[in-house]
Amino acid sequence: VFASFAALHLIEMKQIGFSLAVAVLLDAFVIRMLVLPSLMLLLGEANWWPSRGALRARHATAPAPQPFESVR
């Protein structure tokens, strides 16, 4: 899609296509391969705090499941 933008005759569309391609490459290579793993290593167990709290809150407020009773 970005290559098709860059191949158009309008200079604005070429700029948009090039900018989007650079943004995707920057996100894929720099952010996801360097920054994100580094931050996860630095944060350690703090990476997972929302899931622990949500799980704890769900267990505290949810009623216990009742066994199924058949009606005859």
Side-chain angles (χ1 to χ4, degrees):
V1 171
F2 305 138
S4 66
F5 281 167
L8 294 175
H9 294 292
L10 294 171
I11 191 71
E12 292 85 7
M13 295 304 283
K14 285 183 180 188
Q15 289 174 342
I16 290 172
F18 179 77
S19 300
L20 288 174
V22 168
V24 167
L25 289 174
L26 181 73
D27 177 56
F29 290 107
V30 175
I31 303 298
R32 294 183 192 243
M33 292 180 114
L34 296 174
V35 176
L36 186 63
S38 301
L39 282 176
M40 290 185 75
L41 183 65
L42 287 173
L43 291 174
E45 288 294 318
N47 286 315
W48 314 110
W49 71 266
S51 61
R52 276 197 317 253
L55 184 63
R56 212 176 300 134
R58 185 176 61 194
H59 285 300
T61 60
Q66 299 297 319
F68 179 73
E69 296 178 16
S70 63
V71 179
R72 292 186 182 197

